[in-house]
Amino acid sequence: MNAQFKRGIVELCVLSELILEDMYGYKIINNISKEIDVNENTIYPILRRLTKEEYFTTYLVESDQGAPRKYYKVTEKGFNYYMELRESWDQFIGGVYEILNKGGKKNEEILKRIGDGIKNAKNE
Amino acid sequence: MKKFLKELEMELKMLKMNNKDIDEILEDHKEMIDAAIDEGLNETEIEEKFGNPKNVAKELSKDTKESKKSVVINVENSDSCVKDNTSKYDLVEAFPVISGKITVEIGLVSENLSITTYEGESIQVFQRGVKEIKEYDILFENNVLLLKKKAKIKLFNFSSNDAKFLVLVPSNVELDGFNYKSVSGDANINGILTTKFNIKNTSGDIEITNIVAKDIKVSAVSGEIVMTGFKGESFEISTISGDIEAEKGVISGSMYFHSVSGDIDVEEIECEEATLKTISGDLEGKEFYPKKITLKSISGDIIIRNSDESREIDVINKKTVSGDIVIS
């Protein structure tokens, strides 16, 4: 995947995770890497940058297991930023879906064309 | 996983990151790796999750480099601003101005902008860090200067964009209109003389200095606005949650402040009439001399502290649940 494209999407994922609840770093990484193919190398720099840009603040919470954990929390600026990104994303993904599937209306037709296309290619 | 931390430390040092950042980053990683171990992940699983320290270091150093690049433009003196800064930019277009009043139309997304008047003959547009200049309309036609991001799906405009434009407008040119619209870019606007002055911004921070305009209209969602030195007939400023500071201004007509929760600070301002409409934002004035004042609020207050007691302020209307007007 194009690196910048991927970074943008992961940024939106990080924000989405934190919009609902405050979380510590590893949990964010774990939640996201469960769903999509990214690891810490991509996620942590985004967390750090968004914190520096004041989209997140952090605070420490003692954990049962040992050292305290740094929790990330979305700021007002972060919420606004999320809304912007989310809007762009919805617009974009809506557009892509429309182009790929013609809004779901033409799925059958598309599949039929693929079938025909493969058949024709074989015959040539 | 000690190896990961050691390698990361080395990589960061090689990239000449400062020690404080390195310490922080290492601490964060130690904590995250500990958390992964606590959850029972084995060595291989952890390696998979944490990848290659080289990659993190590379990504992190990219961000620090980008933040270093940003240069603060001193707009107090537009001439010095020009001398100091054009060398850091690349000239994109220069347009000769023939005659008549011109209109400036700027529509950006996340790009930062500095626009100022200068002692020169042509309108000049510079850029720095703009990846695809083709994505912008930069024209001067029929006395309209257009600097606009072409309509395009916005997915690729995620943050860390440090594209910046610098626009120079000859100071002897009179403007009919100045329209600036942006989503998240910051802007510095200096020395504009125009009939209509319009600013619309979502989350970027805007600094406006030395503006003379008949109608001034500024609106922001969450960005901060700082205005210093302005003169005009009417003034309208609105914000949802961003704070507004306005200093040193003379408005011959009315000033209208509209805010949901953002606070407004004004200093050394004179006007005929001032209106504040707000849910919870406060208006604080120092040496603020409207002849008449109106407040409509749920909990927002107007607090004014003036030294010249001979100039009275008439409260013509006050509709508020728990807000108040205090003049002292």
Side-chain angles (χ1 to χ4, degrees):
Chain A
M1 224 193 292
N2 172 309
Q4 199 191 351
F5 185 81
K6 189 167 166 181
R7 224 178 298 145
I9 292 170
V10 176
E11 193 172 306
L12 181 59
C13 292
V14 170
L15 276 153
S16 301
E17 284 296 322
L18 289 169
I19 287 284
L20 282 175
E21 56 173 318
D22 302 354
M23 268 182 219
Y24 55 90
Y26 174 69
K27 189 158 187 221
I28 301 165
I29 290 165
N30 199 25
N31 285 0
I32 295 174
S33 63
K34 261 194 293 196
E35 306 292 342
I36 53 176
D37 182 23
V38 287
N39 61 20
E40 189 271 346
N41 295 175
T42 315
I43 301 171
Y44 176 75
I46 290 171
L47 259 180
R48 189 171 165 82
R49 193 185 67 237
L50 293 182
T51 307
K52 272 202 170 160
E53 289 175 3
E54 298 174 342
Y55 295 120
F56 303 143
T57 54
T58 61
Y59 57 92
L60 290 175
V61 174
E62 295 295 330
S63 80
D64 319 333
Q65 275 101 348
R69 284 178 186 169
K70 191 195 256 184
Y71 275 69
Y72 294 82
K73 181 189 182 68
V74 184
T75 60
E76 188 189 340
K77 198 175 160 192
F79 279 108
N80 284 318
Y81 183 56
Y82 172 77
M83 300 249 292
E84 270 173 48
L85 283 190
R86 186 61 203 262
E87 210 188 302
S88 313
W89 173 254
D90 288 346
Q91 239 179 39
F92 178 80
I93 211 71
V96 171
Y97 182 73
E98 190 56 41
I99 292 164
L100 294 186
N101 294 324
K102 302 291 167 215
K105 282 173 228 147
K106 293 196 170 171
N107 257 336
E108 244 171 69
E109 200 178 312
I110 290 166
L111 288 173
K112 195 172 165 292
R113 294 274 294 178
I114 293 171
D116 293 348
I118 292 173
K119 237 187 262 166
N120 291 340
K122 268 188 186 161
N123 292 338
E124 266 166 23
Chain B
M1 284 318 280
K2 282 212 175 102
K3 207 178 109 216
F4 182 98
L5 293 173
K6 264 257 135 4
E7 270 180 52
L8 180 60
E9 187 177 355
M10 270 178 37
E11 291 294 335
L12 294 171
K13 277 189 178 151
M14 259 160 54
L15 291 163
K16 304 220 165 68
M17 204 174 268
N18 75 50
N19 286 336
K20 197 180 150 253
D21 282 336
I22 293 178
D23 286 349
E24 255 178 49
I25 292 165
L26 289 175
E27 188 121 336
D28 285 349
H29 278 84
K30 195 178 170 304
E31 178 216 301
M32 291 189 295
I33 291 169
D34 282 347
I37 293 169
D38 287 343
E39 288 189 18
L41 268 75
N42 64 38
E43 192 88 355
T44 348
E45 285 168 322
I46 292 178
E47 263 171 37
E48 209 173 283
K49 278 242 147 92
F50 285 83
N52 187 344
K54 234 185 204 162
N55 295 340
V56 199
K58 220 171 68 193
E59 285 291 320
L60 289 166
S61 76
K62 241 187 248 167
D63 289 338
T64 40
K65 262 183 223 145
E66 274 168 13
S67 59
K68 258 185 219 154
K69 267 193 244 161
S70 73
V71 178
V72 178
I73 288 213
N74 172 19
V75 284
E76 302 229 308
N77 181 337
S78 56
D79 280 341
S80 75
C81 145
V82 173
K83 266 177 229 144
D84 290 349
N85 289 285
T86 48
S87 64
K88 293 181 183 130
Y89 292 82
D90 295 322
L91 181 66
V92 185
E93 296 275 2
F95 306 106
V97 182
I98 318 287
S99 67
K101 288 186 173 181
I102 70 164
T103 303
V104 174
E105 293 278 353
I106 295 172
L108 298 172
V109 181
S110 60
E111 306 79 1
N112 295 335
L113 169 82
S114 275
I115 181 162
T116 180
T117 43
Y118 80 123
E119 301 300 323
E121 298 293 308
S122 60
I123 297 173
Q124 299 190 3
V125 180
F126 296 82
Q127 66 84 14
R128 183 159 55 88
V130 174
K131 285 188 192 91
E132 288 287 342
I133 197 76
K134 282 186 206 128
E135 287 181 1
Y136 300 87
D137 283 321
I138 302 172
L139 313 162
F140 185 60
E141 280 174 9
N142 306 324
N143 272 0
V144 176
L145 173 72
L146 186 70
L147 165 57
K148 201 168 173 242
K149 173 120 192 186
K150 286 179 191 161
K152 206 186 152 197
I153 291 161
K154 292 188 290 184
L155 188 74
F156 291 95
N157 296 322
F158 286 101
S159 75
S160 87
N161 184 345
D162 78 349
K164 183 157 184 179
F165 285 101
L166 169 67
V167 179
L168 305 178
V169 179
S171 54
N172 56 5
V173 169
E174 224 181 303
L175 270 65
D176 199 29
F178 179 88
N179 296 310
Y180 170 80
K181 236 188 203 178
S182 170
V183 179
S184 61
D186 295 340
N188 265 313
I189 298 164
N190 176 56
I192 304 292
L193 174 73
T194 178
T195 312
K196 287 198 163 104
F197 183 78
N198 273 318
I199 304 285
K200 248 189 192 163
N201 182 289
T202 308
S203 64
D205 295 335
I206 301 187
E207 227 184 297
I208 301 166
T209 42
N210 309 321
I211 299 299
V212 181
K214 193 165 163 272
D215 299 313
I216 300 173
K217 260 190 198 169
V218 178
S219 93
V221 176
S222 64
E224 272 178 38
I225 299 172
V226 178
M227 287 186 78
T228 315
F230 53 89
K231 211 172 150 181
E233 288 174 22
S234 79
F235 181 102
E236 203 180 315
I237 199 158
S238 68
T239 173
I240 306 290
S241 62
D243 293 339
I244 294 171
E245 272 175 48
E247 227 183 84
K248 299 191 172 64
V250 180
I251 299 294
S252 61
S254 60
M255 284 182 98
Y256 187 84
F257 302 96
H258 190 146
S259 155
V260 176
S261 63
D263 291 332
I264 299 162
D265 271 340
V266 294
E267 212 179 317
E268 289 182 52
I269 286 178
E270 271 177 46
C271 68
E272 184 63 32
E273 194 178 340
T275 304
L276 170 66
K277 218 174 159 186
T278 178
I279 307 284
S280 62
D282 295 332
L283 171 72
E284 252 182 72
K286 232 197 245 167
E287 307 300 327
F288 177 43
Y289 299 98
K291 288 190 184 130
K292 292 177 243 169
I293 201 159
T294 299
L295 170 67
K296 272 185 202 162
S297 83
I298 303 293
S299 66
D301 301 322
I302 295 181
I303 299 158
I304 298 175
R305 287 190 188 83
N306 285 348
S307 58
D308 188 350
E309 285 165 20
S310 66
R311 296 168 75 169
E312 276 183 27
I313 301 172
D314 264 346
V315 176
I316 50 171
N317 200 343
K318 188 174 113 178
K319 260 191 206 156
T320 172
V321 179
S322 65
D324 206 355
I325 301 181
V326 182
I327 301 167
S328 60

